[in-house]
Amino acid sequence: MTIELDHVTLHRDGITYLDNVSMKLESDGFNVLLGPTLSGKTTLLRILAGIEKPDTGRVMVDGKDVTGVSVQKRKVAMVYQQFINYPSMSVFDNIASPLRVAHVDRKEIATRVNSVAKLLKLEPFLQRRPGDLSGGQQQRTALARAIVKDASLVLLDEPLANLDYKLREELRSELPKLFRDTGTKVVYATAEPGEALMLGGHTATLCEGRLTQFGKTHEVFRNPHDLITAKTFSDPPLNVVSVEKRAGEFVMEDKVHFTIDRMTDQLSDGRYVLALRPHHVSLKARNSHEIELQGKVTIAEISGSETFVHLDIGTHGWVCQAHGVHRLDVGQQVSVAVDPDKFIVFNEDGHRVGEHDDRVARAAHG
Amino acid sequence: MRRLGWLIPTIYIIFLLLPIYWLLNMSFKTTNEILGTFSLWPIEFTLANYKKIFTDPTWYNGYINSLTYVVINTVISVTAALPAAYAFSRYRFLGDKHLFFWLLTNRMAPPAVFALPFFQLYSAMELFDTHIAVALAHCLFNIPLAVWILEGFMSGVPKELDETAYIDGYSFPRFFVKIFIPSITAGIGVTAFFCFMFSWVELLLAKTLTSVVAKPIAATMTRTASTSGYELGLLAAAGALTIIPGAIVIWFVRNYIAKGFALGRV
């Protein structure tokens, strides 16, 4: 079974929600839609579900155009960020409801509901109302209703965003297992790059309604085709600096000169944009091949065993994700070490230039 | 000062309850006692007034008539308001906000304004002196009220619930009856209560549109003199009985009303 979006565009009230999006869903692992709020993730899911109709473009299932087919006739299931269950029904009836509507035999309903309830550890709560359950259990109920239906397409719209940290981790590790070997295509929308990396599978990055890149999650992370994708897929935010290349050397802010070995011959002189992930900025003393940058601390947040140091280097604001707890004062001068090979190079239009360096990839992954 | 903190609420409650007490007091007295002496409680305690109401058809029919048109009105109002409120809460259409406000303005006009046109219209349609006439007339202010209250409750139900139901395979009518209405039972209860109360206490239209067959209790009750002179004890008993239906309905929806107030729609 193939599911495809074909040049889908949607505007509402002068706002572009989706701009010419084409993608073919993968059945091997999750299809993660990654993007900030208002990037069009939910709209894309709603179009896949059939709740919303695109202005132009088609939704194709097995090569057939299903754009105009009503929601009820599509074999989809959806779980929302808010815990949506039928408040007047028991958990059992909630899970059973899609089967009842489909006139499934009563005995079969009971067995299927019970097995899904077991899978999602909902057995003790089957006779309760959703309103009496905790948030995690409510979302499990919603997931159970999506799974029991045996739909060929399951849409998950930030299903873990409203859960607390522990529950989120627990459910996130369970989710891919629930759909493994079922042949179900799963689309998972999230705003968190970290979540996309943990879920694996494939990732599509969305920005302002445009699909910027779609591929294997780690591939998109390591090798972003453009600056927007790299920015979308980075948390804490990506460090971006504009530099000039002249006579084989990169010059940052007319002060710092360095070379990126692999780029020396590849790129002609001119202006470029360099991006560097925060965990590649180090507070340690520089190694021989690294460059040293001087900056002024604007804020230092300690998060567990990591410190996020926000600093001004020249006219650019940088973020350094340093291991360990570092107590730094606001306004303090610090020097950070940066390996020039870790820079991802874009031209001024934000397109990736230069050859993909596998060393960068391995480093980014690690 | 603190020790006297109970004083003001007590005085307030006594003031509120005094007329009701006096009504009950009178209802257990004979008319002669009411007119002849002043006493804080019945000296010649009698149940004759109540007995008369429960045995004389001209009296108890008043209650039956009132209850009949009130129930019909409540059913019509809630039934008509459900889809209307759903439309206002879920869809955006041209002039929706103006229409919603206009509905409210229907409550602002005094019913007396409509008494004459209604009387003429219902007479022409040969609906004069029927229960349905009064029930329909009361829709004038009850449907807007019901739409207003229900819209508040419906907007509290996320739109995603509707979508989830469609995705699960529910058709719209089935979703509406099986899932949506059970989700807002509290709202429907509160709405029904208010429709009931406003229809129950409305006197002018009910009196204008009826003569004999559908005469409401309020009309019977407010005629002060009859062939046997003043029957104050009897009127007091009728008044006391008129309070009861409202009290019963309030008891049923007491838990939901707070929710309605919280939504700012009651």
Side-chain angles (χ1 to χ4, degrees):
Chain A
M1 179 156 198
T2 63
I3 298 169
E4 240 176 301
L5 287 173
D6 178 26
H7 299 286
V8 167
T9 297
L10 183 100
H11 304 274
R12 287 284 183 274
D13 305 320
I15 301 165
T16 305
Y17 285 91
L18 284 178
D19 186 6
N20 204 16
V21 172
S22 296
M23 70 187 284
K24 187 175 174 191
L25 298 185
E26 302 283 348
S27 44
D28 147 40
F30 280 17
N31 296 271
V32 180
L33 298 178
L34 176 66
T37 39
L38 291 176
S39 59
K41 304 182 299 276
T42 302
T43 312
L44 195 62
L45 293 184
R46 290 165 61 87
I47 285 176
L48 279 168
I51 299 166
E52 198 116 34
K53 249 185 230 160
D55 295 343
T56 55
R58 298 178 299 172
V59 182
M60 313 285 284
V61 174
D62 282 335
K64 264 189 293 185
D65 184 359
V66 299
T67 319
V69 174
S70 72
V71 198
Q72 284 92 345
K73 287 187 186 131
R74 304 218 192 159
K75 292 187 95 184
V76 296
M78 186 155 173
V79 175
Y80 289 90
Q81 178 179 346
Q82 310 93 316
F83 317 130
I84 302 290
N85 291 300
Y86 308 133
S88 57
M89 296 184 185
S90 69
V91 169
F92 183 95
D93 290 335
N94 258 285
I95 303 175
S97 83
L99 302 178
R100 293 224 170 102
V101 179
H103 300 292
V104 174
D105 178 62
R106 283 188 72 170
K107 265 189 197 154
E108 201 193 326
I109 291 180
T111 39
R112 276 168 76 176
V113 170
N114 281 317
S115 73
V116 173
K118 196 174 170 190
L119 199 65
L120 284 159
K121 299 174 202 139
L122 283 169
E123 280 168 309
F125 317 112
L126 282 176
Q127 296 316 315
R128 297 213 207 151
R129 296 283 169 92
D132 302 332
L133 302 181
S134 72
Q137 290 157 352
Q138 289 185 37
Q139 195 64 318
R140 280 167 189 277
T141 307
L143 276 166
R145 206 180 41 235
I147 290 168
V148 82
K149 201 183 168 188
D150 230 353
S152 46
L153 175 62
V154 173
L155 307 164
L156 308 172
D157 188 7
E158 301 193 49
L160 309 179
N162 285 9
L163 292 174
D164 64 63
Y165 178 70
K166 261 271 161 274
L167 280 169
R168 201 191 314 192
E169 285 206 323
E170 188 184 318
L171 211 48
R172 180 161 48 214
S173 60
E174 283 173 43
L175 267 176
K177 289 180 209 151
L178 293 174
F179 294 101
R180 192 175 294 160
D181 309 322
T182 55
T184 305
K185 287 190 168 55
V186 184
V187 185
Y188 187 107
T190 180
E192 292 172 44
E195 197 157 81
L197 285 171
M198 276 182 260
L199 289 166
H202 293 74
T203 292
T205 46
L206 286 168
C207 185
E208 289 167 357
R210 285 185 306 111
L211 183 115
T212 57
Q213 194 171 339
F214 182 45
K216 282 199 175 0
T217 301
H218 287 129
E219 194 54 37
V220 177
F221 182 77
R222 288 175 206 171
N223 191 15
H225 290 169
D226 52 31
L227 190 57
I228 291 172
T229 306
K231 275 182 175 169
T232 308
F233 213 152
S234 180
D235 180 45
L238 201 66
N239 296 312
V240 181
V241 283
S242 62
V243 294
E244 199 175 349
K245 185 172 187 269
R246 38 179 196 245
E249 258 190 343
F250 287 94
V251 184
M252 191 190 295
E253 313 238 334
D254 272 335
K255 273 191 296 206
V256 187
H257 296 252
F258 58 93
T259 54
I260 301 175
D261 296 342
R262 65 182 202 277
M263 296 296 170
T264 314
D265 304 325
Q266 279 191 50
L267 297 182
S268 54
D269 286 0
R271 294 206 68 85
Y272 293 95
V273 175
L274 301 185
L276 189 68
R277 294 194 189 276
H279 64 272
H280 287 140
V281 184
S282 160
L283 286 175
K284 284 179 288 199
R286 73 185 187 98
N287 293 328
S288 54
H289 68 286
E290 288 181 335
I291 53 170
E292 196 177 78
L293 300 168
Q294 297 295 329
K296 205 162 101 185
V297 177
T298 55
I299 214 171
E301 309 169 294
I302 297 165
S303 150
S305 59
E306 288 191 321
T307 309
F308 296 98
V309 187
H310 296 253
L311 57 163
D312 284 333
I313 296 174
T315 53
H316 294 286
W318 284 59
V319 186
C320 159
Q321 185 180 359
H323 286 294
V325 175
H326 301 267
R327 302 211 176 274
L328 295 165
D329 295 323
V330 173
Q332 190 181 335
Q333 288 287 337
V334 286
S335 59
V336 292
V338 166
D339 178 357
D341 283 339
K342 303 273 164 63
F343 278 115
I344 314 169
V345 186
F346 302 93
N347 65 18
E348 277 194 298
D349 300 330
H351 292 292
R352 180 73 187 269
V353 288
E355 202 175 83
H356 173 51
D357 181 1
D358 199 45
R359 262 192 327 145
V360 175
R362 265 184 284 119
H365 185 37
Chain B
M1 190 63 215
R2 176 160 297 175
R3 248 180 297 154
L4 292 177
W6 52 272
L7 192 68
I8 289 168
T10 311
I11 294 173
Y12 178 63
I13 289 168
I14 289 173
F15 261 75
L16 282 183
L17 289 180
L18 191 65
I20 294 174
Y21 170 72
W22 208 248
L23 187 72
L24 283 169
N25 182 17
M26 281 164 72
S27 73
F28 294 112
K29 291 177 179 176
T30 62
T31 304
N32 279 343
E33 191 190 336
I34 296 167
L35 292 174
T37 52
F38 178 84
S39 60
L40 288 175
W41 53 85
I43 294 164
E44 299 166 57
F45 186 87
T46 174
L47 285 172
N49 296 323
Y50 287 98
K51 198 180 156 208
K52 166 101 188 210
I53 289 172
F54 283 115
T55 49
D56 183 348
T58 56
W59 279 103
Y60 68 69
N61 273 339
Y63 285 103
I64 295 172
N65 291 336
S66 285
L67 277 174
T68 309
Y69 70 69
V70 166
V71 169
I72 295 175
N73 169 263
T74 305
V75 171
I76 295 176
S77 297
V78 173
T79 316
L82 274 171
Y86 185 82
F88 279 117
S89 89
R90 288 297 191 263
Y91 301 113
R92 286 173 56 198
F93 47 90
L94 191 68
D96 54 353
K97 293 202 178 69
H98 301 288
L99 195 61
F100 197 58
F101 182 70
W102 172 78
L103 276 176
L104 265 190
T105 62
N106 280 320
R107 285 207 56 81
M108 297 173 189
V113 172
F114 299 99
L116 182 65
F118 273 179
F119 176 76
Q120 237 293 302
L121 266 170
Y122 285 119
S123 302
M125 303 301 281
E126 292 182 3
L127 283 172
F128 180 73
D129 202 16
T130 58
H131 298 113
I132 189 77
V134 185
L136 285 176
H138 286 178
C139 285
L140 174 77
F141 48 83
N142 269 351
I143 288 182
L145 177 83
V147 171
W148 180 255
I149 298 175
L150 283 173
E151 198 270 343
F153 279 90
M154 287 181 179
S155 296
V157 176
K159 204 169 65 120
E160 284 80 6
L161 185 87
D162 308 27
E163 292 170 3
T164 301
Y166 300 150
I167 289 172
D168 277 356
Y170 285 87
S171 63
F172 176 73
R174 194 163 173 192
F175 152 73
F176 199 75
V177 174
K178 290 250 168 151
I179 292 171
F180 197 69
I181 288 182
S183 306
I184 51 156
T185 41
I188 293 175
V190 171
T191 311
F193 161 75
F194 278 96
C195 291
F196 187 96
M197 287 315 290
F198 281 116
S199 182
W200 181 253
V201 300
E202 201 282 331
L203 174 63
L204 190 91
L205 288 176
K207 224 169 160 179
T208 312
L209 295 174
T210 55
S211 62
V212 183
V213 185
K215 191 175 187 179
I217 182 62
T220 316
M221 209 172 68
T222 45
R223 54 155 202 201
T224 42
S226 71
T227 44
S228 53
Y230 289 104
E231 294 176 300
L232 294 184
L234 197 57
L235 293 176
L241 289 174
T242 310
I243 297 174
I244 292 174
I248 294 175
V249 182
I250 276 203
W251 192 83
F252 275 115
V253 294
R254 68 195 183 286
N255 293 329
Y256 298 143
I257 296 241
K259 226 186 220 178
F261 278 118
L263 284 167
R265 285 298 162 85
V266 173

